[in-house]
Amino acid sequence: MNAVIMAAGTSSRFVPLCWERPKGLLEVRGEVLAERQIQQLKEAGVDDITLVTGYMAEKFEYLKDKFAVSLVFNPDYARYNNTSTLLRVLDRLGDTWICSSDNYFTQNIFLERPSQSQYSAEYAEGQTAEYCLFGNERDEIVSVTVGGADAWYMIGPVFFSREFSEAFRRILVSGANDEEMMMGYWEDAYIRHLSELPMMRMRKFSPGIINEFDTLEELRAFDGSYLTDTHSAVLKKVCREIGAEEKDLADIRKTADNVCSFRWKDGLYEVRNDEAHACRLIAG
């Protein structure tokens, strides 16, 4: 059994922290996300771990010495989605955990050894834009929709059995020159070829065990230390310039490529990702 941790993406919605470091190297509740996940895998007896890097790849180099993990560089990280990441590790797919470096698990979910391929799932009440899973009486996935309501949806790590890996590898190789497949998530290729692949089951989790953070505001809700200290040199500089405190910056979000905004007092401000990281009032 081995693991592949995907850490190549830019996480562009996670502004402005993504301008300074990869999201997988953020410290959450006192631990670096990627480090915590590596340690949990090792505690479960998974020592063969590969990180696929891309954006700010050099910042992950220290993990080779600290945890004896392998690093593989994905040069297509800015052009394609995570399908290109799996294509870089086809030779490593067997009985394999497929993970994202930016997840935080409150429990070590790797301790339970899978008996077949599985995708982690959590239940959404009401409408959701997530990838929704529908299964048979054995919780084996028989269909997937993008968006739905009152349904189990994909979240967190996946386990590929050797049989699944062999079949999915052929699909990835045959679609390597398919621009549509390369621009999408590997899950999109899985959905398209669902009937051709060995059954994958849902592994259902209660809310709060698997945590994903798409924005700094979501991380602040999970780790309260980010309310008073955003861990961002950019926002600290901005606060000095306008006389604000980090705890008073609200609704921090991406508004355009290399641009983020936030609210302070009665104003809406904009910051650009350039050498000056200039801040200006745009409304209020």
Side-chain angles (χ1 to χ4, degrees):
M1 187 178 290
N2 67 332
V4 170
I5 301 178
M6 298 185 292
T10 61
S11 303
S12 62
R13 286 185 292 170
F14 214 86
V15 290
L17 274 67
C18 65
W19 300 345
E20 303 172 59
R21 65 184 67 83
K23 190 161 65 162
L25 295 182
L26 292 178
E27 186 176 296
V28 177
R29 293 185 176 178
E31 296 177 275
V32 174
L33 286 173
E35 291 189 15
R36 177 181 172 85
Q37 197 165 150
I38 290 168
Q39 289 172 324
Q40 288 179 326
L41 284 162
K42 287 182 173 290
E43 287 170 5
V46 183
D47 293 314
D48 181 358
I49 301 172
T50 301
L51 268 81
V52 186
T53 64
Y55 178 65
M56 294 189 181
E58 70 284 353
K59 293 187 180 293
F60 290 97
E61 287 291 325
Y62 79 97
L63 295 173
K64 290 191 295 187
D65 293 330
K66 186 169 184 177
F67 294 105
V69 298
S70 301
L71 299 185
V72 172
F73 179 67
N74 174 12
D76 294 321
Y77 74 90
R79 180 183 178 189
Y80 293 132
N81 218 311
N82 65 10
T83 303
S84 65
T85 285
L86 287 192
L87 278 167
R88 293 288 161 181
V89 290
L90 291 178
D91 60 325
R92 304 178 190 222
L93 300 182
D95 288 323
T96 306
W97 285 102
I98 307 296
C99 310
S100 296
S101 64
D102 56 359
N103 286 170
Y104 183 102
F105 312 125
T106 56
Q107 302 173 13
N108 189 342
I109 65 175
F110 304 111
L111 293 173
E112 180 182 312
R113 190 177 182 90
S115 58
Q116 70 179 94
S117 297
Q118 64 179 36
Y119 208 121
S120 305
E122 188 174 307
Y123 192 75
E125 294 186 357
Q127 292 290 326
T128 178
E130 301 287 351
Y131 284 50
C132 296
L133 304 172
F134 302 91
N136 59 23
E137 66 279 1
R138 295 183 297 278
D139 281 338
E140 293 172 327
I141 300 168
V142 296
S143 66
V144 185
T145 63
V146 180
D150 300 322
W152 292 91
Y153 66 92
M154 294 176 167
I155 184 173
V158 190
F159 180 76
F160 288 2
S161 69
R162 187 168 299 277
E163 180 188 17
F164 184 95
S165 289
E166 289 174 357
F168 198 46
R169 186 185 298 114
R170 291 192 293 270
I171 290 169
L172 292 174
V173 170
S174 66
N177 295 317
D178 179 346
E179 194 75 5
E180 181 182 356
M181 188 185 88
M182 296 300 293
M183 293 297 291
Y185 297 106
W186 72 257
E187 287 91 342
D188 296 317
Y190 164 66
I191 294 169
R192 194 186 312 173
H193 297 275
L194 187 62
S195 62
E196 306 165 40
L197 291 163
M199 282 288 194
M200 178 179 285
R201 66 179 289 269
M202 285 182 270
R203 182 182 176 190
K204 298 175 177 178
F205 285 91
S206 301
I209 295 175
I210 300 174
N211 296 275
E212 297 178 343
F213 317 108
D214 289 327
T215 65
L216 175 55
E217 292 302 316
E218 289 182 4
L219 177 56
R220 285 175 135 188
F222 183 78
D223 182 346
S225 71
Y226 277 84
L227 291 169
T228 54
D229 181 0
T230 60
H231 301 247
S232 168
V234 173
L235 290 180
K236 292 180 187 299
K237 177 179 182 294
V238 165
C239 284
R240 290 194 298 270
E241 288 180 357
I242 66 175
E245 294 186 28
E246 291 173 78
K247 66 180 179 63
D248 297 322
L249 305 187
D251 196 22
I252 302 165
R253 64 178 62 198
K254 175 183 176 180
T255 51
D257 288 342
N258 292 313
V259 180
C260 78
S261 68
F262 64 88
R263 293 192 175 276
W264 177 59
K265 293 186 175 179
D266 296 325
L268 179 65
Y269 293 77
E270 180 182 87
V271 183
R272 292 191 171 273
N273 184 22
D274 54 25
E275 288 187 8
H277 294 300
C279 177
R280 68 187 185 97
L281 178 67
I282 58 174

